Amino acid sequence: NKRMSFYTLKEYKLFCQQINDMRYKMIFDLLFYCGLRIGELLALTFKDISLDNKTIDINKSFCILRGQEIITSPKTKSSIRIVTIPDFLALELREYMSHCYDRESNTRLFILSASSIREYANRCSKAAGLNRIRLHDFRHSHVALLVELGENPLLIANRLGHSDIKMTLNTYAHLYPNKQNELAKKLDNL
């Protein structure tokens, strides 16, 4: 397996110190704290966000095909999911959405290209003195954070929209070795 790139929470906070635009802060927080794919993020509309329930309805994906912007079904059927967000992210989303000019239910929250988001991320990474990571690696960063928090792999698989827990374990098993020491210590304390 090739080595997966991701930011730790500490590195992500250093990265965020370089962001000076509310829109980009919102984008990277959604990628990092929700584990969204970039196409899922770019397809989000106002009606997909429930601030009262603190959820995001992932039900479509955005891509550019032959120069045309297209909204498609998500990657798989299991990619259709509801992602619960923490209170701080709901507050941040409320603030961001209040600054949006067009708040129609079908209006996309982020009218940007993946390449412009990638370029912004690269600038922030460089300014923070961090290794550059791909946009998809923010999804990996989310999983690394959840593993570090001790979350159950089944919960992680559901949050990511994986159809099978084996996919999650095969992709992220290398993040668990340091958990073996923690397990041994817990057994010692019995």
Side-chain angles (χ1 to χ4, degrees):
N1 288 344
K2 66 179 184 176
R3 185 144 171 88
M4 183 180 296
S5 297
F6 61 89
Y7 285 155
T8 63
L9 180 59
K10 182 179 177 181
E11 290 170 324
Y12 181 67
K13 288 181 177 184
L14 288 172
F15 174 87
C16 286
Q17 289 175 6
Q18 307 307 314
I19 300 173
N20 57 12
D21 181 303
M22 176 191 287
R23 176 179 48 172
Y24 282 104
K25 176 72 165 78
M26 190 77 262
I27 287 169
F28 293 116
D29 277 356
L30 286 169
L31 294 174
F32 185 83
Y33 291 110
C34 298
L36 304 182
R37 295 176 180 97
I38 190 66
E40 294 169 344
L41 175 113
L42 291 175
L44 287 177
T45 61
F46 278 81
K47 72 178 176 185
D48 297 324
I49 309 297
S50 173
L51 294 172
D52 293 335
N53 296 323
K54 297 180 190 129
T55 60
I56 300 174
D57 184 3
I58 307 298
N59 57 52
K60 57 192 165 299
S61 189
F62 174 86
C63 69
I64 297 179
L65 185 61
R66 293 186 267 265
Q68 294 291 110
E69 294 182 351
I70 298 174
I71 301 293
T72 64
S73 298
K75 187 176 178 182
T76 64
K77 277 187 179 182
S78 57
S79 294
I80 298 171
R81 63 200 186 280
I82 303 293
V83 176
T84 304
I85 60 174
D87 291 342
F88 76 87
L89 201 54
L91 290 171
E92 190 179 340
L93 261 169
R94 183 180 306 280
E95 177 70 15
Y96 172 76
M97 292 166 68
S98 74
H99 286 86
C100 293
Y101 177 72
D102 182 0
R103 295 184 218 159
E104 295 295 320
S105 64
N106 287 323
T107 300
R108 287 181 28 230
L109 287 176
F110 307 105
I111 312 293
L112 290 167
S113 67
S115 61
S116 65
I117 297 169
R118 188 178 313 107
E119 288 171 22
Y120 195 91
N122 291 343
R123 284 195 305 271
C124 291
S125 298
K126 185 176 181 180
L130 298 168
N131 288 331
R132 192 171 27 169
I133 64 172
R134 301 169 306 151
L135 292 180
H136 193 73
D137 291 329
F138 283 90
R139 182 171 166 86
H140 299 320
S141 300
H142 179 64
V143 175
L145 176 64
L146 296 181
V147 168
E148 193 58 34
L149 292 173
E151 289 304 327
N152 180 311
L154 183 58
L155 176 67
I156 295 171
N158 289 336
R159 188 163 176 88
L160 295 177
H162 286 170
S163 58
D164 187 341
I165 192 171
K166 287 187 276 184
M167 177 189 301
T168 308
L169 291 173
N170 288 338
T171 305
Y172 299 106
H174 68 283
L175 296 176
Y176 285 91
N178 62 341
K179 294 296 178 187
Q180 289 292 335
N181 292 335
E182 291 175 26
L183 173 63
K185 286 179 184 173
K186 287 178 184 176
L187 291 171
D188 274 337
N189 292 327
L190 292 178

